[in-house]
């Protein structure tokens, strides 16, 4: 399926999928934990590779709740628990710095968590394009670029009124 060029996309672009294990470099090497989305979903995304910003929400079934995780910010909704809606920035592609062989969608949620989200269901609304994926001369340059992406994400999403229609249009589970 051909990729749609990022500047012709009708945002928001909605994606839902299960969180799976990545290579585990996000937290350890980059200090930037990411939730990787299952590959079948990634393969069906008609977006150009690149770095994007938007919103994300985690959801977990009661039957999959892990005892060692503190779901204090999550809201019970029928038979699932849902997180608040967070800002996120994400990378779609093959991570040229690491030269991955397969395409991945890696979502960095702008919140401090002390655990990972394997098997959680993640809803993502991509609201805009930041830049193309790049190779870098050093890990530090990649880390610096990610920090700039995070700052840009906060700037783009800070106007709550502007994004109300995305957050409240029924795609995300309302927790208030
Ligand atoms: C906001 C953001 C920007 C990123 N930009 C790049 C990039 O330009 N080049 C690149 O190779 N990887 C980029 N990545 C991907 C990281 O390299 C990747 O998340 C990291 O290797 C962790 O992968 P893992 O969870 O599979 O271990 C970016 C990730 C995020 C969250």
């Amino acid at each position: 399926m051909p990729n749609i060029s990022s500047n012709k996309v009708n945002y928001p672009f909605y994606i839902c999928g299960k969180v799976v294990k990545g290579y585990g470099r996000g937290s350890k090497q980059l200090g930037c934990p990411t939730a990787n989305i299952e590959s079948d979903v990634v393969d069906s995304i008609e977006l150009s590779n690149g770095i994007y910003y938007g919103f994300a929400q985690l959801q977990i079934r009661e039957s999959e709740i892990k005892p060692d995780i503190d779901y204090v910010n999550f809201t019970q909704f029928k038979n699932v628990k849902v997180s608040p809606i967070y800002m996120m920035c994400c990378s779609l592609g093959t991570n040229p710095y690491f030269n991955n062989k397969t395409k991945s969608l890696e979502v960095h949620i702008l919140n401090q968590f002390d655990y990972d989200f394997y098997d959680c269901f993640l809803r993502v609304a991509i609201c805009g394009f930041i830049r193309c994926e790049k190779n870098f001369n050093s890990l530090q340059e990649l880390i610096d670029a990610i920090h700039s992406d995070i700052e840009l994400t906060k700037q783009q999403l800070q106007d709550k009124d502007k994004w109300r229609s995305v957050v409240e249009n029924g795609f995300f589970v309302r927790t208030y």
Side-chain angles (χ1 to χ4, degrees), residues 22-26 30 34 36 51 89 91 95-98 106 108 131 133-134 136 142 146 149:
Y23 291 97
R25 296 176 301 227
L30 301 170
T34 53
N36 290 49
I51 315 306
C89 48
S91 156
N95 298 357
Y97 181 77
F98 294 102
E106 305 183 11
H108 173 66
R131 63 177 173 88
E133 299 184 280
K134 287 189 217 157
F136 294 93
L142 170 59
I146 292 176
D149 299 332

Side-chain angles (χ1 to χ4, degrees), residues 144-168:
D144 292 346
I146 292 176
H147 285 154
S148 300
D149 299 332
I150 292 170
E151 286 314 309
L152 199 135
T153 297
K154 289 182 194 163
Q155 281 169 25
Q156 292 295 326
L157 299 178
Q158 67 183 349
D159 182 348
K160 286 207 164 108
D161 287 335
K162 181 175 175 190
W163 301 106
R164 197 174 298 281
S165 64
V166 177
V167 171
E168 295 184 359

Side-chain angles (χ1 to χ4, degrees), residues 103-162:
K103 185 171 164 178
S104 61
L105 174 64
E106 305 183 11
V107 181
H108 173 66
I109 298 176
L110 273 64
N111 188 60
Q112 176 78 43
F113 296 101
D114 298 325
Y115 46 86
D116 57 53
F117 306 116
Y118 302 139
D119 297 332
C120 272
F121 188 75
L122 189 65
R123 289 169 206 272
V124 176
I126 290 182
C127 297
F129 180 76
I130 300 180
R131 63 177 173 88
C132 294
E133 299 184 280
K134 287 189 217 157
N135 197 349
F136 294 93
N137 293 320
S138 69
L139 191 65
Q140 191 54 50
E141 283 184 32
L142 170 59
I143 293 169
D144 292 346
I146 292 176
H147 285 154
S148 300
D149 299 332
I150 292 170
E151 286 314 309
L152 199 135
T153 297
K154 289 182 194 163
Q155 281 169 25
Q156 292 295 326
L157 299 178
Q158 67 183 349
D159 182 348
K160 286 207 164 108
D161 287 335
K162 181 175 175 190

